[in-house]
Amino acid sequence: MKPLQIGLLDYGDRIGLNSLLKLQAVMEEAILAEQLGFSRFWLAEHHDILRAKAWTNPQPVLPVLASCTTSIKLGIAGVLMSLYQPYHVASFFKCLANIYPGRIDMGLANGYPYTQVIQTALGPEYSRDDLARLYWQNTERLLHFLADDEALYAHGEGVVIPPYKGLKPQSWLLSVAGFVGNAAEKAIQYGTALCRSLYHDPSRHQPQPHELSAFREKFYERQGHYPIVNLAVAGICHETDARAWQIARQLGLTEPALLIGGPAYFAEQFARLQSEHGVDEIIFHDMAKRVSDRQASMEILSTVFNLSGSEALHTSSGANGLNFH
C-alpha cells in the first residue's frame, strides 16, 4: 500500500471574520498546507445567500493562492457547470494551467443552488429541474474544448483556447455515487480523474471494492492508463476526541458520516478508508470554523501521517504579507 496523501477542501467559512478577512485566512492556510506537506488545496463553490460569504464562485481566488505558493496542487471542487458557459471556464483554467504548470485542478460538480441564484445566473425561465441536464451538457462541452486543440481549431468550431497546444488542467469529476453512474462513465469516456465524496450522501458511503476494480479496468481499456481517484471526507480533527466532539456539538454536527476525533482516531479511520476504498489520497473538509482550530487540525494530520517528513511547522497570521484589516 502506498503512503497516504492528504489534501484539503475549504469552503471559506470562518467565525468572526468578514469576507475579506476570511479570504486572508484561506490564503494563510494554503501556505501552511504547502509547508505541512498536504497534497492539494481545493476551494468549494457554494452559492449560499449569506452577507459574510468569502466567495460564491471561487475562481478569482485560485490564481491568488497559486501566486502565494510554489508546489501544492490547487483547484476548485467543484465548478457548478450548470451555471456557466463552457468556453469561458475552459479559457480560464487552461490559461492558469500554463502559468502554474502541473498545479491546477479543475473539479466539476452537479450542485443545486437556491432558485434565486439559478434565475439570477441563467434567467427567470430556469429552475432546479433544469440543472442536471445543463450540467452534463456543459460539462461535455467543456471537456470537448480541452480535448484536442488541433481538432477544435481545424475541424471543429474553428476556435483557439490559448495557449494553443498548451498544457491542460487536471480535470476531475466529483461523484456521490461512487465508481458507478454518470460521473464514472463520463470519467471513462473523457479520461478525467474522479473524486468520490462520502459525506454528501451518507447512504452511499459503504465501500464497494468490486466497483472500483471494474471502473479502473474499464478506464484502462478506454484510455490506456489507470485513473486518478481519491476520496472526500468531512469532520473535525483536534488534539483529543473530547475537544473534537466539543467543537462538533457547538456547530451542531451530528451526522454519522462525519469523522470526529483526535490523532489516534484519524490515524485509524484514514487507514481503514484507504484499505476499504482502495485509494491513496483522501481530501479532508475540515468543518471547524475558528482559524486556530483549523490550523491545529492541519498540524495534527501532518504529524500523524508524516506528510512533510519532519515536525509540523507553526506560522503566524500575515505570513503571506497580505493584510485586509
Side-chain angles (χ1 to χ4, degrees):
M1 189 177 298
K2 295 181 180 178
L4 183 64
Q5 292 185 306
I6 301 175
L8 299 170
L9 174 60
D10 198 318
Y11 281 54
D13 295 331
R14 305 291 188 276
I15 289 176
L17 301 178
N18 64 27
S19 295
L20 292 180
L21 291 175
K22 288 176 181 177
L23 285 173
Q24 178 170 314
V26 169
M27 293 173 200
E28 292 171 358
E29 287 184 22
I31 293 170
L32 180 59
E34 180 171 81
Q35 293 174 338
L36 294 175
F38 287 87
S39 57
R40 303 179 196 274
F41 194 90
W42 284 352
L43 305 177
E45 176 171 340
H46 273 263
H47 294 261
D48 299 325
I49 306 174
L50 301 172
R51 288 178 292 181
K53 286 284 289 183
W55 61 71
T56 52
N57 174 1
Q59 289 183 38
V61 185
L62 202 53
V64 180
L65 296 187
S67 71
C68 294
T69 55
T70 59
S71 59
I72 191 170
K73 295 181 184 297
L74 303 163
I76 296 178
V79 181
L80 302 189
M81 279 308 299
S82 56
L83 302 181
Y84 304 115
Q85 287 291 335
Y87 176 82
H88 299 148
V89 177
S91 298
F92 171 81
F93 276 95
K94 188 178 177 187
C95 181
L96 202 60
N98 284 270
I99 298 173
Y100 301 100
R103 297 185 58 204
I104 303 301
D105 291 334
M106 182 184 70
L108 310 175
N110 184 17
Y112 290 86
Y114 293 106
T115 299
Q116 303 96 296
V117 172
I118 297 168
Q119 295 182 345
T120 300
L122 300 175
E125 67 274 23
Y126 288 91
S127 71
R128 289 169 63 92
D129 294 338
D130 298 304
L131 294 188
R133 171 183 58 82
L134 289 173
Y135 171 71
W136 288 114
Q137 172 184 302
N138 291 346
T139 292
E140 291 195 20
R141 193 76 170 146
L142 169 63
L143 297 174
H144 165 72
F145 283 148
L146 293 172
D148 186 332
D149 286 2
E150 179 61 29
L152 184 67
Y153 173 68
H155 310 297
E157 284 77 3
V159 299
V160 171
I161 310 275
Y164 183 64
K165 294 193 176 181
L167 299 172
K168 312 294 172 59
Q170 175 64 68
S171 299
W172 290 78
L173 294 180
L174 309 185
S175 170
V176 298
F179 302 103
V180 297
N182 281 341
E185 292 301 320
K186 296 301 181 185
I188 293 169
Q189 179 179 351
Y190 290 100
T192 73
L194 187 70
C195 174
R196 180 185 183 187
S197 171
L198 294 189
Y199 69 94
H200 281 91
D201 187 353
S203 67
R204 300 185 180 187
H205 80 282
Q206 293 300 319
Q208 300 290 342
H210 64 284
E211 290 181 358
L212 175 57
S213 177
F215 168 75
R216 282 183 165 144
E217 292 307 317
K218 290 179 182 177
F219 190 102
Y220 184 86
E221 290 175 7
R222 179 70 178 263
Q223 299 296 334
H225 60 87
Y226 286 106
I228 300 171
V229 296
N230 65 24
L231 206 63
V233 299
I236 303 288
C237 174
H238 219 281
E239 56 194 11
T240 65
D241 289 354
R243 177 60 179 142
W245 274 103
Q246 181 185 36
I247 295 171
R249 284 191 292 269
Q250 290 171 348
L251 296 172
L253 303 177
T254 59
E255 293 90 340
L258 300 180
L259 302 180
I260 301 171
Y265 171 82
F266 269 80
E268 176 185 347
Q269 292 301 312
F270 275 21
R272 175 184 62 80
L273 291 170
Q274 182 183 20
S275 174
E276 289 182 351
H277 293 268
V279 300
D280 296 316
E281 183 180 42
I282 292 176
I283 306 296
F284 179 53
H285 166 36
D286 185 354
M287 302 184 76
K289 296 186 178 181
R290 295 190 185 278
V291 171
S292 58
D293 291 330
R294 297 175 63 85
Q295 291 190 357
S297 169
M298 293 167 66
E299 293 177 355
I300 289 167
L301 291 173
S302 178
T303 300
V304 168
F305 295 98
N306 195 27
L307 299 182
S308 64
S310 61
E311 288 189 18
L313 303 175
H314 293 261
T315 64
S316 60
S317 61
N320 56 9
L322 299 172
N323 194 329
F324 289 117
H325 289 281

